[in-house]
Structures are given as structure tokens and as C-alpha cells.
Amino acid sequence: MLIRLGYEIAISCPQPTPVISLLEIHRDRQPDIKRQTRVLTSPSVPTRIYTDLFGNICRRFSAPAGGVRILYDAVVEDSGEPDAANTLAQESLVENLPDDVLGYLLGSRYCETDHLMGPAWQLFGHLPPGWARVQAIVDYVHARLSFGYGYARATRTAAQAHEERVGVCRDFAHLAITFCRCMNIPARYVNGYLGDIGVPADPAPMDFSAWMEAYLDGKWYSFDPRHNIPRIGRVVIARGRDATDVPLLHTFGPHSLSTFKVWTYEQETSATQAPVRAINRMIGTHMLS
């Protein structure tokens, strides 16, 4: 299947401001890109990419005084299969974990394992280790928190989400990640595209999504505490310890968000596909003139 995805984001800045964006499709999915525009900026500014400590593709540029608009559009091939599941997957002993996985056992900015260690063992310590324990954590978080865009707060931690019982997808992910780490199960934060493919359409405006991955039997598996069902068409942008490591935009100075649009949907393969140069020309006419 083919998935059409992209974004249009604009920020206003009172002065020239350095920016780092983490909006590139992850290297794992780069081979699946069938068509794409270049990342367009208005006004046009030079940009360059680099790879961060977690293997994510980051883009650096400077927004001029007044702000900048960035836009991207692509078509990605996807298997059309739901999230992989292995109910027999087991936990690994900490002493047997790969060195690069150990960091995902530790507390981080939004995942305070020290605050939730006691509750985690009380809630999940009696459960059989492995897939069943991770799924029980995800089930608990899904039931514990109420989702709503009006609940969004950039500074909410996992412990605060647990106490307040509300949040957005990042809060669901942070809480489940924290509980997993408390139980010595490596877990990491993921953000990316997740459209309404194979599920009823959500009337709310499209947004990027956040979920988690847990390390079982030597492999990372996707779990989604907000939706708590296998989904089709996840396209990863970035992975890290928590949202601190993978902000969509990080500005080194004040800014305000003036435009935020995201799209991700299944594109009919039988439909006529506009070539990339036509998309670029269309965007250039309306955005960059």
C-alpha cells in the first residue's frame, strides 16, 4: 500500500533564531520513500542535516526575524500489515542486554522511574514477565488516562500524568515507558506519522503521533498506550529516551506557532500520481512566491 504524508509548519520569531527540526522520515524507512519533495522553506533559507546520538535525522537552519514556513510531502510504501506481535516474547536479563539498550532502562526528563518504582512493582510485579507484562502496563495506562488535545501540557511528566489521569499521546507513552523501565524492561519513545488506516476516521485535525517500543527477545516491538490496538501504517520519524530527545522543532530563542498541518492517509494505487516536480511546482507557486 502507499501512504501519502507530509506537513506544513510555520513559526513566528521576533529575531533571527537558530532551529533544529526532527521531521525527517527515519533512516529505517528511507528505502520505502517512492516520491518526495525537498524540504521547502519560505522564505528560502539554507539548511543542512546531521544524525543525532539516537540515529535520527535532524535538520539545522536559522529562521529569519518574522519567522519561517517549512513544508514537505511524500509517498511511502508500506506493507499494510498491523504492528508485529509476539505474545511469547520474553524479557532479557539486565546483564544480558546489549550495551546500546541499557540507556533505555534509566530515568529521563519525562520518565521519572524514581517516582514510580514502588507503584510499578505493586501493580505489575506479580505478573508473568515478557509480552504479557508489557501488555498489562499498556492496558493499565490506556485505562488510567483520558485522552484530549485540551489536556496537552509540554512540561507534564509520567508521574504527573499518572496523578492527573489525563494527557495526550506523548503522556500515554511516557507513563508506559516509565513503568516498563521500572520493571527492568527497556523502553523508548517514538514519534511519527499514524493515519486513520484500517480504523474509523477521527474527525479531529491530523497530528503527529507518539507511541513506545519495548525490547523483548532481542527485538524492539511497538506498543501504543493511547490506542491500544495494532495499527497499520506507522511511519517513524524519530526515537529517543523521551520527548526531550525528539522535539519536532527546537528553537534557540522565543517563537510562536502560526501554522501546523499534518497529513497521512492511504493513497489509492490506481489513482493518477503527480510527479514530484509537479508537486514542487505547485508548492512553489503558492508558498514561495
Side-chain angles (χ1 to χ4, degrees), residues 37-42 69-72 279-280 283-284 288:
T37 66
R38 59 189 176 91
V39 174
L40 299 163
T41 62
S42 176
R69 184 183 305 267
I70 54 178
L71 192 145
Y72 174 75
I279 298 174
N280 271 326
I283 294 170
L288 303 179

Side-chain angles (χ1 to χ4, degrees), residues 231-284:
R231 293 289 296 268
I232 297 169
R234 295 186 196 274
V235 179
V236 173
I237 291 176
R239 299 182 175 98
R241 294 167 299 179
D242 61 30
T244 302
D245 294 329
V246 292
L248 298 172
L249 290 176
H250 185 98
T251 63
F252 296 86
H255 79 276
S256 59
L257 189 66
S258 53
T259 301
F260 185 83
K261 298 178 182 177
V262 180
W263 51 92
T264 173
Y265 58 88
E266 182 179 2
Q267 180 162 300
E268 296 296 334
T269 56
S270 59
T272 300
Q273 308 293 336
V276 171
R277 60 180 179 273
I279 298 174
N280 271 326
R281 186 165 58 247
M282 176 187 69
I283 294 170

Side-chain angles (χ1 to χ4, degrees), residues 17-21 45-48 59-63 68 70 249:
T17 304
V19 179
I20 298 174
S21 69
V45 298
T47 74
R48 70 175 181 88
R59 185 174 296 271
R60 296 182 63 175
F61 58 94
S62 290
V68 68
I70 54 178
L249 290 176

Side-chain angles (χ1 to χ4, degrees), residues 102-114:
L102 283 173
Y104 296 105
L105 287 177
L106 306 178
S108 54
R109 166 69 178 85
Y110 294 109
C111 300
E112 331 97 290
T113 51
D114 51 345

Side-chain angles (χ1 to χ4, degrees), residues 41-280:
T41 62
S42 176
S44 180
V45 298
T47 74
R48 70 175 181 88
I49 61 173
Y50 70 95
T51 302
D52 70 9
L53 297 175
F54 301 95
N56 304 310
I57 304 173
C58 307
R59 185 174 296 271
R60 296 182 63 175
F61 58 94
S62 290
V68 68
R69 184 183 305 267
I70 54 178
L71 192 145
Y72 174 75
D73 185 81
V75 175
V76 174
E77 188 172 39
D78 189 81
S79 68
E81 297 295 323
D83 300 326
N86 179 5
T87 58
L88 300 178
Q90 295 299 305
E91 298 173 19
S92 299
L93 296 175
V94 173
E95 56 266 35
N96 295 333
L97 289 171
D99 296 342
D100 60 350
V101 173
L102 283 173
Y104 296 105
L105 287 177
L106 306 178
S108 54
R109 166 69 178 85
Y110 294 109
C111 300
E112 331 97 290
T113 51
D114 51 345
H115 286 290
L116 290 173
M117 187 69 69
W121 279 95
Q122 290 173 10
L123 289 165
F124 311 112
H126 65 287
L127 299 175
W131 186 279
R133 179 177 278 166
V134 176
Q135 187 58 60
I137 289 171
V138 172
D139 290 343
Y140 175 85
V141 172
H142 180 75
R144 175 81 178 183
L145 303 188
S146 295
F147 177 86
Y149 290 109
Y151 298 138
R153 189 174 78 238
T155 58
R156 182 183 288 115
T157 67
Q160 290 170 341
H162 189 251
E163 180 179 351
E164 298 169 16
R165 306 188 68 160
V166 297
V168 291
C169 55
R170 62 176 261 161
D171 301 304
F172 284 70
H174 284 152
L175 183 53
I177 287 168
T178 306
F179 279 141
C180 283
R181 292 178 184 172
C182 288
M183 304 306 298
N184 295 327
I185 304 168
R188 62 189 183 185
Y189 182 91
V190 189
N191 66 23
Y193 296 93
L194 180 61
D196 298 326
I197 299 173
V199 297
D202 187 339
M206 185 63 65
D207 196 354
F208 292 108
S209 188
W211 58 93
M212 61 168 276
E213 292 176 346
Y215 190 81
L216 298 168
D217 265 349
K219 181 179 178 180
W220 290 101
Y221 288 94
S222 294
F223 290 87
D224 191 334
R226 178 199 165 186
H227 297 104
N228 201 20
I229 58 172
R231 293 289 296 268
I232 297 169
R234 295 186 196 274
V235 179
V236 173
I237 291 176
R239 299 182 175 98
R241 294 167 299 179
D242 61 30
T244 302
D245 294 329
V246 292
L248 298 172
L249 290 176
H250 185 98
T251 63
F252 296 86
H255 79 276
S256 59
L257 189 66
S258 53
T259 301
F260 185 83
K261 298 178 182 177
V262 180
W263 51 92
T264 173
Y265 58 88
E266 182 179 2
Q267 180 162 300
E268 296 296 334
T269 56
S270 59
T272 300
Q273 308 293 336
V276 171
R277 60 180 179 273
I279 298 174
N280 271 326

Side-chain angles (χ1 to χ4, degrees), residues 20-34:
I20 298 174
S21 69
L22 276 82
L23 292 165
E24 315 297 315
I25 294 173
H26 197 273
R27 293 190 188 279
D28 291 350
R29 298 301 303 269
Q30 288 281 322
D32 297 325
I33 299 174
K34 297 306 174 185

